[in-house]
């Protein structure tokens, strides 16, 4: 099936346990990628120490924060609409303060204060530790801005307060920023240069999650395979590290091994993998540990060599297909998903056919698919004309989505009659009598609840499927409990 960004969680307000010491109310909502949702937990943790409890009721908030996304123009337009709503509330509640966080804050900086008159505070993704000072500034009636990008900040020393929606799955950030400079992408400008977080603090955070009853973590970064810890500092400065630092450096496969061995029953996922940085060492490590899930999110963006080059994706179509072949040889049941952009500048029908034929070759389990959206400041915006008409972009996207749906069904049908281990995450959205969970390969499974509870690892026999979901019956707890 196609998996667009999960609209149901976009803008979700974060509600955490209350501390009785705290008297002020923070309403924080998040847009965009998983990293933003994870960052909001860091922000809530920092502000909890400043006297704020979270609320999901906008009307009772003293401070409203919106953690924003700039990846496509539509994401920014959604936030502008939300700011209009906050404006209406502020008219009846003049003491209410409004802050914009995240990528849009970084991209537009103080311009946001001028354009959106109701915004009191603008904070970029590397400046959240400055929030206590910035809040004091706005309390004193002044506007506050901090959009400095950092060479070191990883928030490794902040214990995020977790969203208590299921208590089973959590995100753990391992890198920040991105050095890839894909020509379409605004991330290097909004999140800065790439840096990795101390592995010990990552293992510690995963251990604490396990102790609280969590059963699955997703290690997060714009490009996790590029993870490299050599004592701190930017990835690009690794060349200047001492011989000792180089000899003791921890790469992504080392990190996976450390986490997998420290918590042998915790399920481990990771996202996102960039094909040019994914090594076979990582794939072998995945195969070696039962608790590392068999799923790789491997964005390809296009199947055309010419377009891949124009996007500055540093691999060819054949190199990508070879990587897929190697993954399938090492982990035969590995789930593989994609991101694809339709209608990048200069994309011809032939390039588009190359994307469809690459999809046919891989037959992805699912994907996130988008039309190209020109982002100011990116290399593509500076050097290329956004020349594919909107109607053509849309039609190509529809063809990509339709093909993905067929491939997803092809993949889900392969599960029929098999028994899969599923971690129960929640009640099914469609029926309260059914549980929803995922296989190791990240395919959603729905089955009758019987006596099982959230957080159980259950073996489920798959009886039926749609392109998006497997339907089955539990046959017992798995040995992982
Ligand atoms: N870091 C990952 C990578 O390099 O593949 C993904 C980062 S991005 C947050 C998620 C996806 O958004 C990208 O993989 C891409 O498909 C899509 N995207 C990024 N910039 C875009 C743009 N200007 N227009 C349309 N889609 C875009």
């Amino acid at each position: 099936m196609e998996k667009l960004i999960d609209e149901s969680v976009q803008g979700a307000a974060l509600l955490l346990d209350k501390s009785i010491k705290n008297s002020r109310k923070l309403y924080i909502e998040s847009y965009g990628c998983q990293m933003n949702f994870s960052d909001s937990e860091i922000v809530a943790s920092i502000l909890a120490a400043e006297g704020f409890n979270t609320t999901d009721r906008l009307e009772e908030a003293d401070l409203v924060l919106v953690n924003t996304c700039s990846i496509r123009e539509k994401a920014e337009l959604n936030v502008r609409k939300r700011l209009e709503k906050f404006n209406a509330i502020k008219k009846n509640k003049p003491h209410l303060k409004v802050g914009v966080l995240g990528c849009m804050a970084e991209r537009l900086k103080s311009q946001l204060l001028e354009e959106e008159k109701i915004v009191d505070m603008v904070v970029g993704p590397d400046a959240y530790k400055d929030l206590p000072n910035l809040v004091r500034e706005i309390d004193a009636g002044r506007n506050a801005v901090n959009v400095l990008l950092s060479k070191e900040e990883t928030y490794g020393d902040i214990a995020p307060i977790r969203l208590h929606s299921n208590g089973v799955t959590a995100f753990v950030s391992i890198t920040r920023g991105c050095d890839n400079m894909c020509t379409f992408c605004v991330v290097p400008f909004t999140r800065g240069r790439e840096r990795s977080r101390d592995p010990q603090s990552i293992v510690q955070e995963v251990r604490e999650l396990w102790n609280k009853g969590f059963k699955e973590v997703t290690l997060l970064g714009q490009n996790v395979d590029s993870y490299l810890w050599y004592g701190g500092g930017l990835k690009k400065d690794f060349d200047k590290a001492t011989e000792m630092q180089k000899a003791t450096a921890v790469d992504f496969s080392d990190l996976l091994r450390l986490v997998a061995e420290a918590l042998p029953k915790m399920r481990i996922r990771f996202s996102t993998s960039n094909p040019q940085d994914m090594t076979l060492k990582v794939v072998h490590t995945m195969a070696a540990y039962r608790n590392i899930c068999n799923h790789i999110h491997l964005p390809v963006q296009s199947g055309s060599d010419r377009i891949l080059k124009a996007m500055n994706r540093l691999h060819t179509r054949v190199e990508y297909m070879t990587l897929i072949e190697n993954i399938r040889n090492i982990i035969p049941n590995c789930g593989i998903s994609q991101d694809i952009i339709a209608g990048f500048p200069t994309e011809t029908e032939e390039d588009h056919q190359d994307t469809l034929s690459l999809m046919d070759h891989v037959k992805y389990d699912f994907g996130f698919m988008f039309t190209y959206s020109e982002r100011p400041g990116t290399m593509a915006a500076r050097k290329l004309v956004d020349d594919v008409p909107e109607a053509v972009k849309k039609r190509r996207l529809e063809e990509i989505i339709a093909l993905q749906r067929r491939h997803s069904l092809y993949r889900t049908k392969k599960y029929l009659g098999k028994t899969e281990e599923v971690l129960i995450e929640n009640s099914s959205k469609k029926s309260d009598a059914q549980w929803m969970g995922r296989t190791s390969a990240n395919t959603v499974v729905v089955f009758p609840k019987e006596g099982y509870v959230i957080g159980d690892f259950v073996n489920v026999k798959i009886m039926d499927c749609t392109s998006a979901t497997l339907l089955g019956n539990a046959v017992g707890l798995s040995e992982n409990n």
Side-chain angles (χ1 to χ4, degrees):
M1 65 141 198
E2 86 280 19
K3 267 207 181 158
L4 299 171
I5 294 290
D6 186 352
E7 294 295 343
S8 65
V9 299
Q10 293 294 297
L14 183 60
L15 184 63
L16 306 164
D17 285 347
K18 292 183 174 27
S19 159
I20 43 168
K21 292 196 307 266
N22 290 347
S23 56
R24 302 174 82 187
K25 294 224 164 69
L26 163 69
Y27 176 94
I28 178 166
E29 61 181 34
S30 312
Y31 293 84
C33 64
Q34 291 162 342
M35 199 93 187
N36 255 8
F37 285 77
S38 169
D39 280 0
S40 291
E41 296 182 336
I42 290 170
V43 168
S45 169
I46 292 169
L47 288 178
E50 295 299 308
F52 285 93
N53 278 331
T54 45
T55 175
D56 57 357
R57 296 187 53 216
L58 200 43
E59 319 78 68
E60 62 176 31
D62 302 296
L63 174 63
V64 171
L65 296 180
V66 47
N67 200 347
T68 60
C69 170
S70 286
I71 203 85
R72 282 167 289 277
E73 192 183 11
K74 186 167 174 280
E76 291 200 357
L77 292 176
N78 285 342
V79 170
R80 302 256 188 197
K81 272 199 216 124
R82 271 315 267 170
L83 291 174
E84 280 170 27
K85 164 91 179 164
F86 302 154
N87 198 13
I89 294 173
K90 207 173 176 176
K91 285 209 174 97
N92 299 322
K93 232 185 135 180
H95 84 278
L96 178 71
K97 303 287 181 194
V98 177
V100 176
L101 314 178
C103 290
M104 210 172 148
E106 192 63 50
R107 195 178 84 72
L108 296 168
K109 304 188 170 59
S110 49
Q111 192 186 326
L112 257 179
L113 292 172
E114 289 144 32
E115 287 172 3
E116 301 287 347
K117 295 285 178 234
I118 60 144
V119 173
D120 303 285
M121 183 168 76
V122 176
V123 192
D126 284 350
Y128 297 144
K129 280 194 193 147
D130 195 27
L131 273 166
N133 297 323
L134 299 170
V135 168
R136 277 193 280 280
E137 280 292 300
I138 57 173
D139 282 346
R142 292 183 286 270
N143 286 340
V145 181
N146 187 342
V147 287
L148 287 177
L149 288 172
S150 160
K151 288 184 181 173
E152 290 96 25
E153 188 58 84
T154 60
Y155 300 110
D157 53 339
I158 304 275
I161 308 182
R162 299 294 168 181
L163 219 165
H164 282 265
S165 63
N166 69 8
V168 174
T169 58
F171 297 120
V172 174
S173 293
I174 64 161
T175 66
R176 294 188 76 83
C178 187
D179 283 352
N180 270 343
M181 300 308 283
C182 301
T183 57
F184 52 80
C185 189
V186 79
V187 167
F189 305 98
T190 58
R191 287 189 164 267
R193 301 304 300 249
E194 190 177 307
R195 64 223 102 113
S196 297
R197 177 178 165 191
D198 180 350
Q200 292 314 323
S201 81
I202 296 170
V203 171
Q204 181 60 19
E205 187 174 330
V206 178
R207 195 186 303 283
E208 281 163 15
L209 286 165
W210 178 259
N211 291 340
K212 286 182 186 151
F214 285 80
K215 301 286 175 69
E216 180 182 297
V217 289
T218 303
L219 306 180
L220 277 189
Q222 295 299 334
N223 179 10
V224 284
D225 296 83
S226 174
Y227 176 91
L228 189 64
W229 172 258
Y230 60 98
L234 296 179
K235 166 89 185 255
K236 75 175 179 59
D237 292 335
F238 181 62
D239 286 353
K240 296 179 211 146
T242 64
E243 287 312 310
M244 181 59 121
Q245 283 175 317
K246 284 184 182 162
T248 55
V250 176
D251 68 15
F252 184 55
S253 77
D254 301 330
L255 177 73
L256 275 179
R257 185 173 40 76
L258 282 174
V259 180
E261 286 181 0
L263 287 312
K265 291 201 164 189
M266 180 75 109
R267 262 191 180 185
I268 299 157
R269 299 188 185 280
F270 53 87
S271 186
T272 299
S273 292
N274 193 302
Q276 77 205 40
D277 293 302
M278 176 146 218
T279 62
L280 291 188
K281 193 175 158 204
V282 166
V283 186
H284 282 294
T285 306
M286 290 174 71
Y289 293 92
R290 189 187 177 281
N291 57 332
I292 304 179
C293 290
N294 290 338
H295 170 236
I296 302 175
H297 184 58
L298 200 62
V300 66
Q301 316 298 1
S302 169
S304 151
D305 274 336
R306 197 181 63 81
I307 296 295
L308 286 171
K309 193 153 187 255
M311 289 176 161
N312 195 33
R313 302 288 286 184
L314 300 177
H315 60 82
T316 62
R317 172 189 172 96
V318 166
E319 282 164 350
Y320 184 90
M321 293 200 314
T322 306
L323 177 58
I324 298 279
E325 204 179 308
N326 285 327
I327 293 168
R328 294 236 154 98
N329 284 337
I330 299 166
I331 310 173
N333 300 324
C334 195
I336 300 179
S337 52
Q338 45 84 354
D339 289 350
I340 289 177
I341 298 176
F344 185 79
T346 77
E347 186 187 77
T348 62
E349 277 318 307
E350 202 186 330
D351 296 318
H352 172 58
Q353 290 304 323
D354 284 346
T355 298
L356 297 178
S357 72
L358 179 115
M359 290 176 72
D360 259 330
H361 181 85
V362 180
K363 295 191 175 56
Y364 295 98
D365 291 74
F366 64 88
F368 299 91
M369 295 150 285
F370 317 97
T371 52
Y372 172 70
S373 167
E374 186 179 86
R375 305 314 293 132
T378 57
M379 207 41 111
R382 278 151 57 192
K383 299 267 160 120
L384 298 168
V385 179
D386 184 8
D387 59 355
V388 179
E390 266 328 294
V392 174
K393 285 183 189 171
K394 231 175 130 210
R395 193 254 306 151
R396 288 181 189 164
L397 178 66
E398 278 162 11
E399 287 173 11
I400 289 169
I401 289 174
L403 184 59
Q404 182 54 55
R405 199 167 280 145
R406 288 207 290 282
H407 292 157
S408 295
L409 188 61
Y410 166 83
R411 289 286 169 204
T412 52
K413 275 187 171 168
K414 284 192 177 277
Y415 284 100
L416 295 179
K418 292 191 177 154
T419 298
E420 287 289 317
E421 184 189 73
V422 177
L423 170 62
I424 301 179
E425 290 179 25
N426 254 318
S427 284
S428 150
K429 277 188 195 148
K430 290 201 180 135
S431 157
D432 210 35
Q434 309 251 338
W435 287 127
M436 168 270 168
R438 277 167 223 272
T439 66
S440 170
N442 210 25
T443 307
V444 171
V445 184
V446 168
F447 60 98
K449 283 188 172 172
E450 301 180 49
Y452 300 101
V453 294
I454 289 182
D456 278 347
F457 287 97
V458 181
N459 288 325
V460 179
K461 178 147 192 207
I462 308 303
M463 312 301 287
D464 201 356
C465 67
T466 66
S467 63
T469 311
L470 304 175
L471 310 164
N473 289 310
V475 294
L477 286 170
S478 88
E479 60 184 25
N480 201 40
N481 289 284

